[in-house]
Short mmCIF file of all heavy atoms in Angstrom, two decimals:
data_model
loop_
_atom_site.label_atom_id
_atom_site.label_comp_id
_atom_site.label_asym_id
_atom_site.label_seq_id
_atom_site.Cartn_x
_atom_site.Cartn_y
_atom_site.Cartn_z
N TYR O 5 -47.59 -21.37 93.77
CA TYR O 5 -48.51 -21.59 92.66
C TYR O 5 -48.46 -23.05 92.24
O TYR O 5 -47.44 -23.72 92.41
CB TYR O 5 -48.15 -20.71 91.46
CG TYR O 5 -48.29 -19.23 91.73
CD1 TYR O 5 -47.27 -18.51 92.36
CD2 TYR O 5 -49.45 -18.55 91.37
CE1 TYR O 5 -47.41 -17.15 92.62
CE2 TYR O 5 -49.59 -17.19 91.63
CZ TYR O 5 -48.57 -16.51 92.26
OH TYR O 5 -48.71 -15.16 92.52
N GLN O 6 -49.56 -23.52 91.67
CA GLN O 6 -49.61 -24.85 91.09
C GLN O 6 -49.43 -24.73 89.58
O GLN O 6 -50.16 -23.99 88.92
CB GLN O 6 -50.95 -25.52 91.41
CG GLN O 6 -51.17 -25.78 92.88
CD GLN O 6 -52.61 -26.18 93.17
OE1 GLN O 6 -53.21 -25.70 94.13
NE2 GLN O 6 -53.17 -27.07 92.35
N GLY O 7 -48.45 -25.45 89.07
CA GLY O 7 -48.18 -25.39 87.64
C GLY O 7 -49.18 -26.19 86.83
O GLY O 7 -49.60 -27.28 87.24
N GLN O 8 -49.57 -25.65 85.69
CA GLN O 8 -50.41 -26.36 84.74
C GLN O 8 -49.67 -26.36 83.40
O GLN O 8 -48.45 -26.26 83.35
CB GLN O 8 -51.78 -25.65 84.61
CG GLN O 8 -52.58 -25.56 85.89
CD GLN O 8 -53.96 -24.94 85.69
OE1 GLN O 8 -54.21 -24.18 84.76
NE2 GLN O 8 -54.88 -25.29 86.59
N THR O 9 -50.38 -26.54 82.34
CA THR O 9 -49.89 -26.23 81.00
C THR O 9 -51.04 -25.51 80.29
O THR O 9 -52.19 -25.63 80.73
CB THR O 9 -49.49 -27.50 80.19
OG1 THR O 9 -50.61 -28.35 79.99
CG2 THR O 9 -48.38 -28.26 80.89
N PRO O 10 -50.72 -24.73 79.25
CA PRO O 10 -49.51 -24.70 78.45
C PRO O 10 -48.30 -24.08 79.17
O PRO O 10 -48.45 -23.27 80.07
CB PRO O 10 -49.90 -23.83 77.25
CG PRO O 10 -51.39 -23.78 77.23
CD PRO O 10 -51.80 -23.90 78.65
N GLN O 11 -47.13 -24.50 78.69
CA GLN O 11 -45.87 -23.81 78.92
C GLN O 11 -45.37 -23.42 77.54
O GLN O 11 -45.36 -24.26 76.63
CB GLN O 11 -44.86 -24.72 79.62
CG GLN O 11 -45.25 -25.12 81.04
CD GLN O 11 -44.19 -25.98 81.70
OE1 GLN O 11 -43.43 -26.70 81.03
NE2 GLN O 11 -44.12 -25.92 83.01
N SER O 12 -44.98 -22.17 77.40
CA SER O 12 -44.64 -21.68 76.06
C SER O 12 -43.25 -21.08 76.04
O SER O 12 -42.79 -20.51 77.04
CB SER O 12 -45.68 -20.66 75.60
OG SER O 12 -46.97 -21.27 75.58
N PHE O 13 -42.60 -21.18 74.87
CA PHE O 13 -41.18 -20.82 74.79
C PHE O 13 -40.82 -20.26 73.41
O PHE O 13 -41.43 -20.64 72.40
CB PHE O 13 -40.31 -22.06 75.02
CG PHE O 13 -40.67 -22.85 76.24
CD1 PHE O 13 -41.52 -23.94 76.13
CD2 PHE O 13 -40.17 -22.51 77.48
CE1 PHE O 13 -41.87 -24.68 77.25
CE2 PHE O 13 -40.52 -23.24 78.60
CZ PHE O 13 -41.36 -24.32 78.49
N LYS O 14 -39.81 -19.40 73.40
CA LYS O 14 -39.09 -19.13 72.17
C LYS O 14 -38.27 -20.39 71.88
O LYS O 14 -37.40 -20.80 72.69
CB LYS O 14 -38.17 -17.92 72.32
CG LYS O 14 -38.90 -16.60 72.54
CD LYS O 14 -39.51 -16.08 71.25
CE LYS O 14 -40.25 -14.74 71.47
NZ LYS O 14 -39.44 -13.69 72.07
N ALA O 15 -38.55 -21.04 70.77
CA ALA O 15 -38.04 -22.38 70.53
C ALA O 15 -36.51 -22.44 70.47
O ALA O 15 -35.90 -23.36 71.02
CB ALA O 15 -38.64 -22.94 69.24
N THR O 16 -35.88 -21.47 69.81
CA THR O 16 -34.42 -21.52 69.68
C THR O 16 -33.74 -21.32 71.04
O THR O 16 -32.71 -21.93 71.31
CB THR O 16 -33.90 -20.48 68.68
OG1 THR O 16 -34.38 -19.18 69.05
CG2 THR O 16 -34.36 -20.81 67.27
N LYS O 17 -34.32 -20.48 71.88
CA LYS O 17 -33.75 -20.25 73.22
C LYS O 17 -33.87 -21.52 74.07
O LYS O 17 -32.93 -21.91 74.75
CB LYS O 17 -34.47 -19.08 73.90
CG LYS O 17 -33.91 -18.69 75.27
CD LYS O 17 -32.48 -18.17 75.16
CE LYS O 17 -31.95 -17.64 76.48
NZ LYS O 17 -32.52 -16.33 76.84
N LEU O 18 -35.03 -22.16 74.01
CA LEU O 18 -35.21 -23.40 74.76
C LEU O 18 -34.22 -24.46 74.31
O LEU O 18 -33.59 -25.14 75.13
CB LEU O 18 -36.64 -23.91 74.58
CG LEU O 18 -36.97 -25.27 75.20
CD1 LEU O 18 -36.78 -25.24 76.71
CD2 LEU O 18 -38.38 -25.70 74.84
N LYS O 19 -34.07 -24.60 73.00
CA LYS O 19 -33.14 -25.59 72.47
C LYS O 19 -31.71 -25.32 72.93
O LYS O 19 -31.00 -26.24 73.38
CB LYS O 19 -33.20 -25.60 70.95
CG LYS O 19 -32.26 -26.61 70.29
CD LYS O 19 -32.28 -26.49 68.78
CE LYS O 19 -31.30 -27.48 68.16
NZ LYS O 19 -31.17 -27.31 66.69
N ALA O 20 -31.28 -24.06 72.87
CA ALA O 20 -29.91 -23.71 73.27
C ALA O 20 -29.68 -23.99 74.75
O ALA O 20 -28.63 -24.53 75.14
CB ALA O 20 -29.63 -22.24 72.95
N LEU O 21 -30.65 -23.63 75.59
CA LEU O 21 -30.50 -23.86 77.03
C LEU O 21 -30.48 -25.35 77.35
O LEU O 21 -29.71 -25.81 78.19
CB LEU O 21 -31.64 -23.18 77.80
CG LEU O 21 -31.63 -21.65 77.81
CD1 LEU O 21 -32.86 -21.14 78.57
CD2 LEU O 21 -30.36 -21.10 78.45
N TYR O 22 -31.34 -26.11 76.68
CA TYR O 22 -31.40 -27.56 76.94
C TYR O 22 -30.08 -28.22 76.55
O TYR O 22 -29.56 -29.07 77.28
CB TYR O 22 -32.56 -28.19 76.17
CG TYR O 22 -32.70 -29.67 76.43
CD1 TYR O 22 -33.23 -30.13 77.63
CD2 TYR O 22 -32.29 -30.62 75.49
CE1 TYR O 22 -33.37 -31.49 77.88
CE2 TYR O 22 -32.42 -31.97 75.73
CZ TYR O 22 -32.95 -32.40 76.92
OH TYR O 22 -33.07 -33.75 77.17
N GLU O 23 -29.54 -27.83 75.41
CA GLU O 23 -28.29 -28.44 74.95
C GLU O 23 -27.10 -28.05 75.83
O GLU O 23 -26.08 -28.75 75.83
CB GLU O 23 -28.04 -28.06 73.50
CG GLU O 23 -29.03 -28.70 72.53
CD GLU O 23 -28.87 -28.25 71.09
OE1 GLU O 23 -28.15 -27.23 70.87
OE2 GLU O 23 -29.45 -28.89 70.20
N ALA O 24 -27.27 -26.96 76.60
CA ALA O 24 -26.19 -26.52 77.50
C ALA O 24 -26.26 -27.19 78.87
O ALA O 24 -25.35 -27.01 79.69
CB ALA O 24 -26.24 -25.00 77.65
N LEU O 25 -27.31 -27.93 79.14
CA LEU O 25 -27.45 -28.60 80.44
C LEU O 25 -26.45 -29.74 80.58
O LEU O 25 -26.12 -30.43 79.61
CB LEU O 25 -28.86 -29.16 80.60
CG LEU O 25 -30.03 -28.19 80.71
CD1 LEU O 25 -31.34 -28.96 80.75
CD2 LEU O 25 -29.89 -27.31 81.96
N THR O 26 -26.01 -29.97 81.80
CA THR O 26 -25.20 -31.15 82.09
C THR O 26 -26.13 -32.36 82.24
O THR O 26 -27.36 -32.20 82.39
CB THR O 26 -24.42 -30.97 83.40
OG1 THR O 26 -25.36 -30.87 84.49
CG2 THR O 26 -23.56 -29.71 83.36
N ASP O 27 -25.57 -33.55 82.22
CA ASP O 27 -26.38 -34.75 82.42
C ASP O 27 -27.04 -34.73 83.79
O ASP O 27 -28.19 -35.17 83.95
CB ASP O 27 -25.53 -36.01 82.28
CG ASP O 27 -25.10 -36.26 80.84
OD1 ASP O 27 -25.75 -35.72 79.91
OD2 ASP O 27 -24.10 -36.98 80.63
N GLU O 28 -26.33 -34.20 84.78
CA GLU O 28 -26.88 -34.11 86.14
C GLU O 28 -28.08 -33.17 86.17
O GLU O 28 -29.08 -33.44 86.84
CB GLU O 28 -25.81 -33.65 87.13
CG GLU O 28 -24.69 -34.65 87.39
CD GLU O 28 -23.69 -34.73 86.25
OE1 GLU O 28 -23.67 -33.81 85.38
OE2 GLU O 28 -22.93 -35.72 86.21
N GLU O 29 -28.00 -32.06 85.45
CA GLU O 29 -29.11 -31.12 85.41
C GLU O 29 -30.31 -31.73 84.68
O GLU O 29 -31.45 -31.56 85.10
CB GLU O 29 -28.68 -29.82 84.72
CG GLU O 29 -27.75 -28.96 85.58
CD GLU O 29 -27.20 -27.77 84.83
OE1 GLU O 29 -26.93 -27.90 83.61
OE2 GLU O 29 -27.03 -26.70 85.45
N LYS O 30 -30.06 -32.46 83.61
CA LYS O 30 -31.15 -33.11 82.88
C LYS O 30 -31.87 -34.13 83.75
O LYS O 30 -33.08 -34.31 83.64
CB LYS O 30 -30.63 -33.77 81.61
CG LYS O 30 -30.22 -32.78 80.52
CD LYS O 30 -29.72 -33.49 79.27
CE LYS O 30 -29.31 -32.49 78.19
NZ LYS O 30 -28.78 -33.15 76.97
N ASP O 31 -31.13 -34.77 84.66
CA ASP O 31 -31.72 -35.80 85.51
C ASP O 31 -32.72 -35.23 86.52
O ASP O 31 -33.58 -35.97 87.00
CB ASP O 31 -30.63 -36.55 86.28
CG ASP O 31 -29.87 -37.53 85.38
OD1 ASP O 31 -30.39 -37.87 84.30
OD2 ASP O 31 -28.74 -37.93 85.75
N ILE O 32 -32.60 -33.94 86.86
CA ILE O 32 -33.50 -33.37 87.87
C ILE O 32 -34.62 -32.55 87.24
O ILE O 32 -35.40 -31.91 87.95
CB ILE O 32 -32.72 -32.50 88.88
CG1 ILE O 32 -32.08 -31.29 88.20
CG2 ILE O 32 -31.69 -33.33 89.62
CD1 ILE O 32 -31.50 -30.28 89.18
N LEU O 33 -34.73 -32.58 85.92
CA LEU O 33 -35.80 -31.82 85.26
C LEU O 33 -37.16 -32.43 85.54
O LEU O 33 -37.33 -33.64 85.53
CB LEU O 33 -35.58 -31.78 83.75
CG LEU O 33 -34.39 -30.97 83.24
CD1 LEU O 33 -34.30 -31.10 81.72
CD2 LEU O 33 -34.51 -29.52 83.63
N THR O 34 -38.12 -31.58 85.83
CA THR O 34 -39.50 -32.02 85.98
C THR O 34 -40.35 -31.52 84.81
O THR O 34 -41.35 -32.14 84.46
CB THR O 34 -40.10 -31.50 87.29
OG1 THR O 34 -39.86 -30.08 87.39
CG2 THR O 34 -39.46 -32.20 88.49
N ASP O 35 -39.97 -30.41 84.23
CA ASP O 35 -40.67 -29.88 83.06
C ASP O 35 -39.73 -28.93 82.33
O ASP O 35 -38.59 -28.71 82.75
CB ASP O 35 -41.98 -29.19 83.45
CG ASP O 35 -41.78 -27.98 84.35
OD1 ASP O 35 -40.64 -27.46 84.42
OD2 ASP O 35 -42.75 -27.54 84.97
N ALA O 36 -40.20 -28.37 81.23
CA ALA O 36 -39.33 -27.53 80.41
C ALA O 36 -39.03 -26.18 81.05
O ALA O 36 -37.96 -25.61 80.84
CB ALA O 36 -39.95 -27.34 79.03
N CYS O 37 -39.95 -25.65 81.86
CA CYS O 37 -39.69 -24.36 82.50
C CYS O 37 -38.49 -24.44 83.44
O CYS O 37 -37.78 -23.45 83.63
CB CYS O 37 -40.93 -23.89 83.27
SG CYS O 37 -42.20 -23.15 82.22
N LYS O 38 -38.26 -25.61 84.01
CA LYS O 38 -37.13 -25.74 84.94
C LYS O 38 -35.80 -25.55 84.22
O LYS O 38 -34.80 -25.17 84.83
CB LYS O 38 -37.17 -27.10 85.64
CG LYS O 38 -36.20 -27.18 86.82
CD LYS O 38 -36.55 -28.29 87.78
CE LYS O 38 -35.65 -28.25 88.99
NZ LYS O 38 -36.03 -29.26 90.01
N ILE O 39 -35.77 -25.80 82.91
CA ILE O 39 -34.55 -25.55 82.14
C ILE O 39 -34.17 -24.08 82.25
O ILE O 39 -33.00 -23.73 82.48
CB ILE O 39 -34.77 -25.94 80.66
CG1 ILE O 39 -35.07 -27.44 80.55
CG2 ILE O 39 -33.56 -25.56 79.81
CD1 ILE O 39 -35.56 -27.86 79.17
N PHE O 40 -35.16 -23.21 82.10
CA PHE O 40 -34.91 -21.76 82.21
C PHE O 40 -34.52 -21.38 83.64
O PHE O 40 -33.61 -20.57 83.84
CB PHE O 40 -36.15 -20.99 81.77
CG PHE O 40 -36.31 -20.87 80.28
CD1 PHE O 40 -36.71 -21.96 79.53
CD2 PHE O 40 -36.03 -19.69 79.62
CE1 PHE O 40 -36.85 -21.88 78.16
CE2 PHE O 40 -36.16 -19.58 78.26
CZ PHE O 40 -36.58 -20.68 77.51
N VAL O 41 -35.20 -21.96 84.62
CA VAL O 41 -34.91 -21.65 86.02
C VAL O 41 -33.49 -22.06 86.38
O VAL O 41 -32.75 -21.30 87.04
CB VAL O 41 -35.93 -22.34 86.94
CG1 VAL O 41 -35.55 -22.14 88.41
CG2 VAL O 41 -37.34 -21.79 86.70
N LEU O 42 -33.07 -23.24 85.94
CA LEU O 42 -31.71 -23.71 86.24
C LEU O 42 -30.65 -22.79 85.66
O LEU O 42 -29.56 -22.64 86.23
CB LEU O 42 -31.52 -25.12 85.68
CG LEU O 42 -32.19 -26.28 86.43
CD1 LEU O 42 -32.04 -27.57 85.63
CD2 LEU O 42 -31.59 -26.45 87.82
N LYS O 43 -30.96 -22.16 84.55
CA LYS O 43 -30.00 -21.28 83.88
C LYS O 43 -30.20 -19.81 84.23
O LYS O 43 -29.60 -18.93 83.61
CB LYS O 43 -30.08 -21.48 82.36
CG LYS O 43 -29.64 -22.87 81.90
CD LYS O 43 -28.22 -23.18 82.37
CE LYS O 43 -27.74 -24.53 81.89
NZ LYS O 43 -26.37 -24.85 82.39
N GLY O 44 -31.04 -19.55 85.24
CA GLY O 44 -31.22 -18.18 85.71
C GLY O 44 -32.01 -17.29 84.78
O GLY O 44 -31.90 -16.06 84.84
N GLU O 45 -32.83 -17.88 83.93
CA GLU O 45 -33.63 -17.12 82.98
C GLU O 45 -35.04 -16.89 83.53
O GLU O 45 -35.58 -17.71 84.27
CB GLU O 45 -33.73 -17.87 81.65
CG GLU O 45 -32.39 -18.12 80.96
CD GLU O 45 -31.85 -16.90 80.27
OE1 GLU O 45 -32.63 -15.95 80.05
OE2 GLU O 45 -30.65 -16.89 79.93
N GLU O 46 -35.65 -15.77 83.14
CA GLU O 46 -36.99 -15.45 83.61
C GLU O 46 -38.05 -16.33 82.94
O GLU O 46 -37.97 -16.61 81.76
CB GLU O 46 -37.32 -13.98 83.32
CG GLU O 46 -36.61 -12.99 84.22
CD GLU O 46 -37.13 -11.57 84.01
OE1 GLU O 46 -37.39 -11.21 82.85
OE2 GLU O 46 -37.28 -10.84 85.01
N VAL O 47 -39.05 -16.70 83.75
CA VAL O 47 -40.24 -17.40 83.25
C VAL O 47 -41.45 -16.62 83.73
O VAL O 47 -41.69 -16.50 84.94
CB VAL O 47 -40.31 -18.85 83.76
CG1 VAL O 47 -41.57 -19.53 83.23
CG2 VAL O 47 -39.06 -19.64 83.35
N ALA O 48 -42.20 -16.07 82.81
CA ALA O 48 -43.38 -15.27 83.17
C ALA O 48 -44.54 -16.18 83.53
O ALA O 48 -44.58 -17.37 83.16
CB ALA O 48 -43.77 -14.36 82.01
N LEU O 49 -45.52 -15.63 84.27
CA LEU O 49 -46.69 -16.38 84.69
C LEU O 49 -47.91 -15.98 83.87
O LEU O 49 -48.11 -14.81 83.57
CB LEU O 49 -46.98 -16.15 86.17
CG LEU O 49 -45.88 -16.52 87.17
CD1 LEU O 49 -46.37 -16.27 88.60
CD2 LEU O 49 -45.45 -17.97 87.00
#
């Protein structure tokens, strides 16, 4: 699939996952959905 936007999130969950990322993980982020993917969380389409 080709990603577009919007990308939507439960804000507190996104914040918690982002703050739990390592610096190395933050360096490979392309968008916010990847935060969930890196942490094994589901992202609906």
Side-chain angles (χ1 to χ4, degrees):
Y5 296 83
Q6 295 168 224
Q8 300 184 336
T9 62
Q11 294 182 333
S12 301
F13 310 94
K14 294 284 180 55
T16 55
K17 183 65 174 285
L18 175 62
K19 180 185 178 186
L21 291 177
Y22 182 75
E23 291 175 346
L25 293 175
T26 65
D27 289 339
E28 291 75 16
E29 287 173 325
K30 289 180 180 178
D31 285 341
I32 63 171
L33 291 178
T34 51
D35 62 17
C37 281
K38 192 161 186 176
I39 298 169
F40 280 74
V41 174
L42 285 173
K43 294 303 182 182
E45 299 282 344
E46 286 188 320
V47 179
L49 301 182

